[in-house]
Amino acid sequence: MAIMSGAELKESFQRMKPEVYARGERAEDVTEHPFLKPAFEARARFHDFMRDPKYKEKVTSISNVVPGEKIPNFVRLYDSAEYLVERFVTGRWVRRFFPRSGGSADSVNAVWATTYDCEKKYGTEYHERFKEFLKYVHKNGLTCSITQTDVKGDRSKRPIEQSDPDMFVHKVETRKDGIVVRGAKAHQSSSIHCHEIICMPTRRMREDEKDYSVGFAIPTNTKGLIQICGRQPSDLRRLEGMEIDWGMPQFGGTEAMVILDDVFVPWDRVFLNGEWDFTTGMMETFANVHRVIYALKCNLGDFLIGAAAQVAEYNGAAKASHIRSKLVDMVILNETMYCCGLAAASRGVKTPSGVWHDDPVLSNVVKNNVTKNMYEIGRLAEDIAGGQITTQPSEKDWRNPKTRPYIEKYLKGVDGVPTEHRMRMFKLIEFFTYGQGSTYSRAEAMHGAGAPEMQKVFINRMYDFESLKRLARMACGIEKQEYF
Amino acid sequence: MAIMSGAELKESFQRMKPEVYARGERAEDVTEHPFLKPAFEARARFHDFMRDPKYKEKVTSISNVVPGEKIPNFVRLYDSAEYLVERFVTGRWVRRFFPRSGGSADSVNAVWATTYDCEKKYGTEYHERFKEFLKYVHKNGLTCSITQTDVKGDRSKRPIEQSDPDMFVHKVETRKDGIVVRGAKAHQSSSIHCHEIICMPTRRMREDEKDYSVGFAIPTNTKGLIQICGRQPSDLRRLEGMEIDWGMPQFGGTEAMVILDDVFVPWDRVFLNGEWDFTTGMMETFANVHRVIYALKCNLGDFLIGAAAQVAEYNGAAKASHIRSKLVDMVILNETMYCCGLAAASRGVKTPSGVWHDDPVLSNVVKNNVTKNMYEIGRLAEDIAGGQITTQPSEKDWRNPKTRPYIEKYLKGVDGVPTEHRMRMFKLIEFFTYGQGSTYSRAEAMHGAGAPEMQKVFINRMYDFESLKRLARMACGIEKQEYF
Amino acid sequence: MAIMSGAELKESFQRMKPEVYARGERAEDVTEHPFLKPAFEARARFHDFMRDPKYKEKVTSISNVVPGEKIPNFVRLYDSAEYLVERFVTGRWVRRFFPRSGGSADSVNAVWATTYDCEKKYGTEYHERFKEFLKYVHKNGLTCSITQTDVKGDRSKRPIEQSDPDMFVHKVETRKDGIVVRGAKAHQSSSIHCHEIICMPTRRMREDEKDYSVGFAIPTNTKGLIQICGRQPSDLRRLEGMEIDWGMPQFGGTEAMVILDDVFVPWDRVFLNGEWDFTTGMMETFANVHRVIYALKCNLGDFLIGAAAQVAEYNGAAKASHIRSKLVDMVILNETMYCCGLAAASRGVKTPSGVWHDDPVLSNVVKNNVTKNMYEIGRLAEDIAGGQITTQPSEKDWRNPKTRPYIEKYLKGVDGVPTEHRMRMFKLIEFFTYGQGSTYSRAEAMHGAGAPEMQKVFINRMYDFESLKRLARMACGIEKQEYF
Amino acid sequence: MAIMSGAELKESFQRMKPEVYARGERAEDVTEHPFLKPAFEARARFHDFMRDPKYKEKVTSISNVVPGEKIPNFVRLYDSAEYLVERFVTGRWVRRFFPRSGGSADSVNAVWATTYDCEKKYGTEYHERFKEFLKYVHKNGLTCSITQTDVKGDRSKRPIEQSDPDMFVHKVETRKDGIVVRGAKAHQSSSIHCHEIICMPTRRMREDEKDYSVGFAIPTNTKGLIQICGRQPSDLRRLEGMEIDWGMPQFGGTEAMVILDDVFVPWDRVFLNGEWDFTTGMMETFANVHRVIYALKCNLGDFLIGAAAQVAEYNGAAKASHIRSKLVDMVILNETMYCCGLAAASRGVKTPSGVWHDDPVLSNVVKNNVTKNMYEIGRLAEDIAGGQITTQPSEKDWRNPKTRPYIEKYLKGVDGVPTEHRMRMFKLIEFFTYGQGSTYSRAEAMHGAGAPEMQKVFINRMYDFESLKRLARMACGIEKQEYF
């Protein structure tokens, strides 16, 4: 069916009726619940965009698995090194128009590669099943989300040691036609507006944790799959009917806890089933291809830089040397993240499965920089903007005829700029530093795709320290080498 | 009347009926408006505390100007070097119990000193007037707030160059019995729950800006004095009737834009009137004694450290080496702010007026460290805590019988800790990183008492670079010195 | 003559006899003076390397201007985007074997592009001349160095305002057969072991500074061209006849002040002569292609990481969690520099002249990161290694039979590692943190290719802040856009 | 004998003839060996200073243990809280004139307190012995050095587990008249120019390590006590006979490995002998009082700030906004260290022994800041100064008539400043960033009094995290508290 329009996308969820809760109630129509609607709106607009003749070439492709089928790039296989780089270049261009309208290419490409490896070793049919699943996704224009992070319970204990065995998703029953799984996945960005959920282990399992070594995909309206939305900073402003104080009305996203309450998964949707020695590979492969994409947090940095530069101008401070210096520092921090992403992609390698993956060490370098740089970018934006981010009166005060004249008069900056514009710009900065957008510019920058320590653990394990130690030994004369 | 009880304090404002707007409406009873009530509650509790025999000795004194009168320390004159240090030691102890129940000692002591200097030079009676004002405050147990930061309009222009002459507070009329002033002061923390407002210039004025060189004090219910409250992150959660999601229900503060719509000030309340050459002194003296007090942002750091350490324990991660390392980093950052405050106080000097002021350069060192350290402390807290800060379901979902069992089960951490406790702790961290508390832990840490650049401007001007240059010249043999 | 061997290279300088001074004396044979010899040795080895069948493919090419001529990559034109990236990949691989055996490709490619632009505009024959010069270089296997940084005198004044007009290199006479130039260029890395010097303006000139708007190339033994070497930290250890205390004996480099004492330049070597409006282009083009190459400072980071990891192992501390954490931090800092270089190259663009240049903004991002990251890498190396970097007895004490047994016994680390090895490794770290190598790992990282502020000035001027401001205006609803 | 003059001090060492090796030879006269002489000169000048009527009051006291005896403050007991603060104020004032003429008050006060505690518990006579020792020191005007850091061998093993049992100093024999000890102490700053060495354990010992639990004092010319000096960056410049290139000729210090080759210690000099449970106390007490004193590294920061400000002026760049900004950043970093020291002192507590010690947690905060701030101060100095730090020709070139005119002409900065002055100033910065002075501004700042991790280990163990966790629990409503 090619690519759904925005309206079709919303209708598809109205038909599916996934079981979603938000702010203490079931969201009967997920596309209309005020906590969820902005995410659906943003996503719907992106679907229209993918069909717009002016833009569609950049963001859609022809499927590798369904001949001739037009598909969104976000379910595309990474079939060349060039495309790895290109997705960052396009990603930066596109996200400016459609923030938070993400995708799932990371998971598709990670599962593609690891099911392939597993099939090679054990003769399982996981890769074939996944290919069929991907065809189905491509043919029907579906959106997918990956769920990985288990709720984990007591972090000092392994899955099998927890007092409640359900702290990590696991198989509780094997039936003739499939398996039954139980558990919960935390922090699922975008799962609310996805048709399918791909589920994989969150950590390395041991031999005695075979039941925890499961991977699969299911539709989000599967019986027993329950999603409970998390709340975001200043989320209630969505209910106020105002616009300025919202900050960036076009932007929206959701995170949910995805509960699997004895959910049945048919065999053709099972991609890992007890092969515990492949959990590391599946988990890490996804982690690495997912971490690299955080380089595109520079898109959010772009908003903060633009807003800080703009508000400085509105304030009459755009030429102050310390303001220029801080703006440039923001640019350097932001472009450094982008650079790391481009670099990891440019050093990508072809996996045995045929898809290309970014350099794994550099992918972790990307993410770790993001966990620091985004915070510093935000801090600088707050510094440049000034205290009005926090002390600006409510939009309702501005709309109140009694107080409006005072606000119009006293919150004016340079001549020629309406007070309203200045107020809007402050609220945009608030949005990305303390507001809903900070969910993406800070919280997700920190913990999405794994906390900072996870990147360091990976680098510590994978980095070739041995060759550098040998280099040092040669340099100081302990080992001899021809060209020293 | 000695020190008001909490109930008396609230009654006093119910009687005064200051003109305050919040979220588009006039707050008829400021102590009860949901945006303002938390601030009044916190303050009222502190007033009861000041009368509690167990604690009162630490936080109250006998007035220096009204013999025998018991007064809160927050309107006390700094009459010794020891007290400068002691106020930090006590301040740290006290604030843990009454966050955001601040005071105005900075302004009282700054105006005391600068009116004295002005009186010495010009024979004005400003200091005598201020002393009478202070007696009145002490006798009646009043609270004061200082307003300094003008709205400023176009920052590239001086007050007199603005297209609207009201961008800085100025005198618009001199009457027989006093003066009439117009303008607006931005970002006024605590002014809502103060009886009196002390107003002073925000910058150095020139000779042609005499009308802008005014200082005075007026009651907050003076005709023409209008306050419009700013909104804070997640402020609407105060309206939800929930408690967990509020983060720290006992805590509250307000910031307001204070508008002076042709307000009359009688002569006995005028403390500066055209002496433009004293604007620098008045502004800087206040800035310095105010900046030093930001060392007590360590009190907020204490909450973040405690919450991060606690949530790590709830998560079962308290012993992980990287967690310990980050907690210690938070301590170092936090204690460094406290240290700078103690140091500036310990090097305090006696002013000609008799009150003691902290070392001015070190006071600016304090504040500049705060503008960075508080952000890093918050970042580390977010790192340690994990993504649940942002993705935790609403308290209403926890109270919904349908979803509560899932939440209870899956958001549990280590055995023995109720899920509710863990949820509360995450929301406390959210409170101080993205929530209402971030108004104080971040926005105010950055911009309160002047943006970071203001401290650098001051240090650049006041620091004795000459003596260090001479030291360097001696060290490398350019200048000779006896003991080299 | 294709590529010189190491011996041929040294002979060529023994024949040329450039006028070079070091430590108060004329170096009669530059290849043998103890301050200069290490640089020649390193360079000579690299020349042998370029002829070694095992390696030569990676580091040599066929000339673009002299058909069939084999040339070192360091005088190669950048004729494709792929090569821009490849030079980093190869550069990292190669430098591990031959530190400080740099090249001049940056200058060749910058002058190629700007002379082309100038010729297009003014019909000068500069580009043709430069092409002929490059043919000569390629045919004769010569090495080139660029000199740009004038000594500058009083930095607050323009060239024409200086009390001594020679503070910037300028033309003092125009003859029939060429021009005569005077001035001095500071901080010339590698000029000592180059056959030819390319000279270009260091800053933007104005119309009244036409005489300062000159570019040219001359052999380093031209009459009037005098080089005075700078000294390096611990440079005298080269005279001691010891090896361990030298740190990294195979490594060497030089910096010189290059004085042009009324030097004659024939017309065929003049590439700019009064076209003041091209000084910016020539200066900036070089600055950008030069700054990007600083990404390869990661090669020095590699030594520090390897040495720190090795010494931690020798100390028995390699498994301590804080040591691992710091080693990984070093990797992240180091790879970030490399990533920025790869990224700038991957976004390279073709200039009108046909050669490709890295993205200019990202090139400046590279260099600015280097000015910070290298310092932090060094600091972490010192932290990991311990105080013995500084307190280790002299190699002479180790060679003294009286003290050797004590040193052997007490400076031993883990069993199985000779004390000598541990001593060598400490000295390697000293070399790159306080020693001669710090000239390259710190001083050059900071100031080479322009001080940190220069990169910020460039970014401030060239970065497209306007588009980000527009993005911000669209985001908060000030401007409308189709897909918002 | 009161306080020795500088000449008397030198004579005393010429008489003592301690066994000291440096650069492969025995230093027959330690006061004249070129590697050691600068340290003796600096120290001798300080002794003259202590007798100068203009200064002596600030730096000398009357002994607490020998009635009426005038003593240097550096062997004084800390007998009041005020003195703890005063020693920083004076320390800052004094060190500007006599860098690196340190003392040993830290060790005297630490051993005083811990021998007291041990005597209380076990009835040993260690405290009485130490008091007698201190009387002897005071009466004879002696200087002391503490040695703590064992060479440690394999850091992953305890003292008793090492393959060579001598990796930590231990008792090898008990005689009737005393004990015999063996081992070596690394990194001993100043021991060369001290009359007495106080030795204490470097770590917590266990019950099976009683022989390693020894503390004592011995004269530095005791038989078997051998000192081998470490080398410093650019140390050979002391042999060149030049002055400018030395950087700061008046400054000098030494570090030595102190070897105890079966050294006999009589009973009256034994202060710990097997009481393994006091090793922690002795080690930590010293560590804390020693760490706090690192706040005075701000004295070295003062040189760097002064030199950077001065060289900026010589360069004509003193008014550039980025230069001012960096100079102020240096000040903030530097004063922050000083502040932490003042604060730790101002919160000092009286020990049971009667002497006062700084707050132990804050003492560790001091030191940890120093390990970072000094490096950043150095980095900023290098940034401000420019590349000439590294590329300046040798002083011998400046003295060579052939090259001097070029250097005079081309290394001139602003008018009116001799080129020589500018050259000297660059070398002063080199001295403290790469040169001999970096031994103190960087290496010692990092590792003196324990590596950065040691401070974190201490804070992690001693900080009252429990009270902050409780605070957090109260704040979010888990625990109830009266005033919340």
Side-chain angles (χ1 to χ4, degrees), chain B residues 351-366:
Chain B
T351 66
S353 72
V355 298
W356 290 70
H357 285 176
D358 312 84
D359 180 90
V361 166
L362 299 187
S363 296
N364 281 276
V365 169
V366 169

Side-chain angles (χ1 to χ4, degrees), chain C residues 285-393:
Chain C
T285 303
F286 172 65
N288 294 337
V289 292
H290 191 37
R291 281 171 191 163
V292 75
I293 213 71
Y294 276 72
L296 286 174
K297 285 291 175 199
C298 62
N299 286 323
L300 300 183
D302 284 343
F303 284 99
L304 279 164
I305 294 168
Q310 186 62 77
V311 95
E313 199 173 290
Y314 289 171
N315 289 349
K319 290 180 179 165
S321 65
H322 74 100
I323 298 286
R324 298 319 307 174
S325 178
K326 286 166 188 166
L327 284 170
V328 171
D329 284 339
M330 292 173 82
V331 168
I332 292 171
L333 290 161
N334 205 42
E335 297 298 333
T336 296
M337 298 187 293
Y338 182 52
C339 283
C340 291
L342 285 172
S346 81
R347 304 300 301 145
V349 291
K350 191 174 183 176
T351 66
S353 72
V355 297
W356 290 70
H357 286 177
D358 312 84
D359 179 89
V361 166
L362 299 187
S363 295
N364 282 276
V365 169
V366 169
K367 175 70 210 309
N368 201 266
N369 273 303
V370 169
T371 66
K372 292 170 285 193
N373 290 17
M374 283 307 296
Y375 280 72
E376 184 64 3
I377 289 170
R379 195 183 76 85
L380 289 167
E382 295 176 42
D383 182 351
I384 291 169
Q388 195 170 328
I389 298 175
T390 308
T391 67
Q392 185 166 289

Side-chain angles (χ1 to χ4, degrees), chain B residues 466-479:
Chain B
E466 287 311 312
S467 84
L468 296 194
K469 278 157 39 181
R470 181 163 173 268
L471 178 70
R473 292 195 302 272
M474 294 190 299
C476 65
I478 294 173
E479 284 186 24

Side-chain angles (χ1 to χ4, degrees), chain C residues 399-411:
Chain C
R399 297 194 183 280
N400 177 352
K402 173 71 182 115
T403 42
R404 182 166 186 151
Y406 293 123
I407 293 173
E408 283 286 342
K409 176 183 176 72
Y410 286 118
L411 292 191

